[in-house]
Amino acid sequence: MPKDIDRRGILLAGGAGAFGLYSWTAAASSAASAKKELTLPRRPGVKPKNILVVLTDDHRYDAMGFMKAQSFGETPTLDRLAREGVHFKNAFVTTALCSPSRASIFTGLYAHQHRVVDNNHPIPPGLIYYPEYLQHAGYETAFIGKWHMGMETDRPQPGFDRWVSFKGQGTYLPSEDGLNIDGRKVPQKGYLTDELTDYALDWIGSRTGKRPWMMHLAHKAVHAEFIPAERHAGRYAKETFRYPENMKPGVPGRPMWVENQRNSWHGVDYPYHGQLDIGEYYKRYMETLLSVDEGLARIMELLERRGELDDTLILYMGDNGFMFGEHGLIDKRAAYEESMRVPMLMRCPSLFGARTVDQVVANIDVAPTMLAAAGLDAPKGMMGADMLPLARGEHTPWRSELMYEYYWERNFPQTPTVHALREDRYKYIHFHGIWDVDELYDLAVDPHENDNLLARPGHEDLAEKMSAKLFRMLEDTNGMQIPLSADAGERNELRDPAKPGAQGAPFPPRFFRPPSR
C-alpha cells in the first residue's frame, strides 16, 4: 500500500478536526529509488489466460441495449458478452472521475492510497500497475488508447511492451497532437475509436502464441463532446428520450449544493455554460458508443479465427458513470448511482459460464482478478478482490459495503469533497467543507435516491453508525487526509443570471431553530 507522494496534503487530525500540513517529498524520493518487487507467487495448476480489458469513458451502467434504459440504443456485441458471459449488475467505481478511477483499475487501490486523486495530480513515484506483474511473469503486454493520468502525458508507461496513446482526452477526429506510438509522434489518420481498434487488431494478429498476452484498450469514447463516427451520425435523431423524473427542481430533502448546481457547468439549467438539450445529448452519446461496439465485434471475430476467443478473458467496463439530468445534474463526480455505477461484463467460457452476479464489485477488483487469471496471487495491500469465484457462481466471502471518495477540484468547484458508504440496502453520503445536510437512502425502496432520509427525523442512529464505519475504513487504509493540489485548469464557476430559479437554494428546514433562552 503506497504511503508516498510528492505533494502536500491536509491531514485530518483525529476527532478534534484540526488541520496540519505534512510533506511527502522525502518519502517520495525514497520510493522512486526503491527497486520494484514484481515477482508474485504462482497458483499451481493454473494456465495463464490471454487477457483483453476494454475500458470506455463515462459509460453509465444502463446504457446498453439489453438494459433497455431507453427505447433506443443498440449494443449487440455488449449484449452478446452479457448473454454468453457474466454481467456484474452492481459494478461501481470508487471515484467517479477519469484519472482516479483508472489508477484504481491498474493498482487495486483507493484514490487516497494511490494518490492520483484528480485529473491534475501527478503519478506518485513507485506506484505499481498490475500489467508490470504480468510482464515480469512472461506476458506480452500492450496499452492502446487513453491513459489520462499524470497530467497531460502520452509517454509510454511501465508494464507495456506496446504503447499507443495520446495527450489528455485526445480528439475523435485527427488533430495536430496526433498519437504517441512507442515514444514516437505519429499522425492520427481517422476517427479515433476505429483507429484504436485497428491498432489493437494489428497487435493481437501479430502474436505468435508462444507467450500469453494482455491488452488494455482504453477508448476516448464515450467522453464528451460526443462525436459519433460519420456512419452513425443521426442514427437516433428521431427517437424519443425519456427524461428522468428527478430532473425536476425542488425535490424535498435534496442538499442545497445539489440544487444550486442546477445553474452551473454541471447542471441542467446551464449545462457547460450553454443551452444544451439533455435528450439530444444522450442520443449523440449512444451514437458515439456504436463504433466501440462494432470495434469489439471485430476483435472478437479475429480471436475466433485464431481459435483463441473462448480461452481469452474479456473484461468490458466504464471508468465511471454519467448523469443525464438525474438530480438536476450532468456529468459524474457525485456519489449518486448514475455517477458511480458502471457497466461490467466478462467472458471466458474456459473459466466460467453465463450468469448474472448480484454482489457489489468495483474497479479496485480488476487488478487482483486479472492477476488471478494469469495464475498469480495478488500482492498484499490491494483493496480489491478476485472476482473469478463470483463469475463461477461459487459461494465465497465478499464485501458487505463499498467506500466511495471524491475530492473537491478548484476548476470544477460545484461538487464538494464526498465520501460515501454503499451497502446492499443503504447508502450514506458525507460531505466535507460545506454547510449542508448529508444524505441517506434506502436503495431497496428508493433506487433512484429521491427520498433523503436525513431530511426528517428518525434515521440519525443509522447515519451515525454508517458514518462511524466509513471513517473506520478511512482510518484503516490511511485515508484520513485530503490531498491538496495547486490550482490547475480553467475555473468553470459561472451562473446564468437570466434563468428562473437562479437564486440560491434555501437551507434545509431542520437547520432552523429559535434561539435558546
Side-chain angles (χ1 to χ4, degrees):
M1 179 187 308
K3 299 179 182 178
D4 307 313
I5 187 170
D6 57 354
R7 289 280 194 176
R8 295 188 307 274
I10 296 178
L11 299 184
L12 300 182
F19 293 85
L21 288 178
Y22 178 78
S23 173
W24 281 280
T25 305
S29 300
S30 175
S33 62
K35 190 177 187 302
K36 292 181 178 179
E37 178 50 61
L38 300 176
T39 301
L40 297 177
R42 291 187 178 270
R43 297 185 174 187
V46 176
K47 176 190 174 184
K49 299 294 182 184
N50 292 336
I51 296 170
L52 171 64
V53 176
V54 180
L55 182 71
T56 42
D57 198 307
D58 290 357
H59 191 181
R60 55 183 278 155
Y61 78 99
D62 59 358
M64 296 181 287
F66 72 94
M67 292 292 288
K68 302 186 184 304
Q70 297 283 337
S71 61
F72 62 94
E74 296 85 16
T75 57
T77 311
L78 299 185
D79 295 358
R80 178 188 176 185
L81 285 183
R83 185 173 62 251
E84 298 178 359
V86 174
H87 175 211
F88 293 95
K89 64 181 294 187
N90 289 305
F92 294 83
V93 295
T94 49
T95 305
L97 188 61
C98 289
S99 297
S101 181
R102 290 161 190 268
S104 291
I105 289 169
F106 276 124
T107 63
L109 301 172
Y110 285 106
H112 66 262
Q113 296 173 310
H114 60 61
R115 298 288 177 174
V116 184
V117 295
D118 56 30
N119 291 343
N120 300 312
H121 262 69
I123 299 168
L127 199 64
I128 300 176
Y129 314 126
Y130 80 84
E132 296 183 71
Y133 296 114
L134 297 181
Q135 188 183 52
H136 186 75
Y139 269 71
E140 297 176 300
T141 58
F143 181 90
I144 296 177
K146 177 180 175 179
W147 178 251
H148 202 246
M149 281 191 285
M151 306 296 282
E152 295 296 300
T153 184
D154 61 0
R155 295 191 302 272
Q157 297 293 315
F160 300 103
D161 302 311
R162 177 63 162 167
W163 181 264
V164 179
S165 192
F166 42 81
K167 290 184 177 179
Q169 298 287 358
T171 56
Y172 286 106
L173 303 176
S175 64
E176 62 180 22
D177 279 338
L179 305 176
N180 185 320
I181 311 296
D182 296 328
R184 297 180 297 108
K185 187 172 182 178
V186 176
Q188 180 182 336
K189 299 176 182 178
Y191 186 67
L192 186 59
T193 305
D194 295 340
E195 191 161 356
L196 295 178
T197 298
D198 290 340
Y199 277 108
L201 291 168
D202 289 345
W203 190 80
I204 293 173
S206 66
R207 299 306 93 213
T208 64
K210 294 181 180 179
R211 295 164 56 191
W213 56 263
M214 177 271 174
M215 174 186 286
H216 186 98
L217 173 58
H219 285 293
K220 170 183 173 61
V222 279
H223 194 282
E225 288 290 316
F226 312 130
I227 301 177
E230 186 175 354
R231 63 188 181 276
H232 299 138
R235 170 79 65 88
Y236 302 127
K238 296 182 180 180
E239 300 292 346
T240 300
F241 176 77
R242 293 194 302 269
Y243 291 86
E245 176 65 23
N246 61 2
M247 181 173 165
K248 62 186 179 184
V251 173
R254 179 177 286 168
M256 182 168 49
W257 75 264
V258 177
E259 193 74 3
N260 279 332
Q261 195 174 159
R262 294 180 64 88
N263 184 1
S264 80
W265 180 265
H266 288 149
V268 296
D269 291 341
Y270 195 23
Y272 304 133
H273 297 165
Q275 298 179 337
L276 183 75
D277 181 273
I278 302 300
E280 295 303 312
Y281 201 48
Y282 183 85
K283 293 176 187 179
R284 292 204 304 274
Y285 175 82
M286 294 305 293
E287 290 170 354
T288 305
L289 183 62
L290 287 168
S291 58
V292 173
D293 195 85
E294 288 181 356
L296 182 54
R298 293 174 61 200
I299 293 174
M300 292 177 69
E301 289 167 4
L302 173 62
L303 292 173
E304 192 161 30
R305 290 197 303 269
R306 289 171 59 92
E308 299 176 3
L309 178 60
D310 288 352
D311 207 32
T312 297
L313 178 63
I314 300 175
L315 173 69
Y316 178 95
M317 67 178 294
D319 70 341
N320 45 249
F322 200 89
M323 294 176 286
F324 282 93
E326 289 86 4
H327 310 279
L329 306 178
I330 59 173
D331 198 70
K332 55 264 187 180
R333 292 173 169 82
Y336 295 127
E337 294 286 282
E338 296 83 7
S339 171
M340 62 184 286
R341 196 170 170 187
V342 295
M344 185 181 286
L345 308 167
M346 197 158 68
R347 183 188 188 276
C348 188
S350 65
L351 279 179
F352 47 79
R355 61 180 42 85
T356 298
V357 170
D358 293 324
Q359 286 93 332
V360 170
V361 299
N363 53 353
I364 56 175
D365 298 322
V366 171
T369 302
M370 299 303 105
L371 292 174
L376 301 172
D377 288 333
K380 293 180 180 179
M382 279 190 177
M383 294 292 102
D386 175 12
M387 296 182 289
L388 293 181
L390 298 180
R392 291 191 290 263
E394 299 174 3
H395 294 286
T396 186
W398 200 250
R399 66 171 58 90
S400 58
E401 66 274 316
L402 181 71
M403 182 167 59
Y404 176 86
E405 59 187 336
Y406 165 79
Y407 297 98
W408 179 79
E409 302 164 274
R410 189 168 178 81
N411 49 331
F412 294 102
Q414 300 89 347
T415 305
T417 292
V418 180
H419 288 92
L421 187 70
R422 192 197 189 278
E423 298 178 342
D424 290 339
R425 178 170 179 178
Y426 292 101
K427 180 193 287 184
Y428 170 69
I429 309 176
H430 176 278
F431 305 112
H432 184 86
I434 56 172
W435 186 15
D436 209 338
V437 66
D438 287 337
E439 294 175 274
L440 178 67
Y441 296 104
D442 184 344
L443 300 172
V445 299
D446 181 28
H448 298 294
E449 301 166 301
N450 294 324
D451 182 16
N452 181 8
L453 301 178
L454 291 182
R456 58 183 186 274
H459 296 87
E460 293 82 2
D461 288 347
L462 176 59
E464 287 183 12
K465 289 178 181 177
M466 294 188 71
S467 178
K469 185 187 294 185
L470 170 64
F471 278 93
R472 279 198 303 272
M473 293 177 71
L474 287 167
E475 288 173 348
D476 291 345
T477 58
N478 289 332
M480 294 296 287
Q481 65 269 152
I482 296 178
L484 184 66
S485 58
D487 289 358
E490 179 183 350
R491 294 198 70 186
N492 298 285
E493 59 188 2
L494 304 180
R495 292 174 69 81
D496 182 353
K499 273 287 190 312
Q503 299 302 313
F507 278 94
R510 74 174 183 85
F511 278 26
F512 293 90
R513 187 177 65 182
S516 57
R517 293 183 180 273

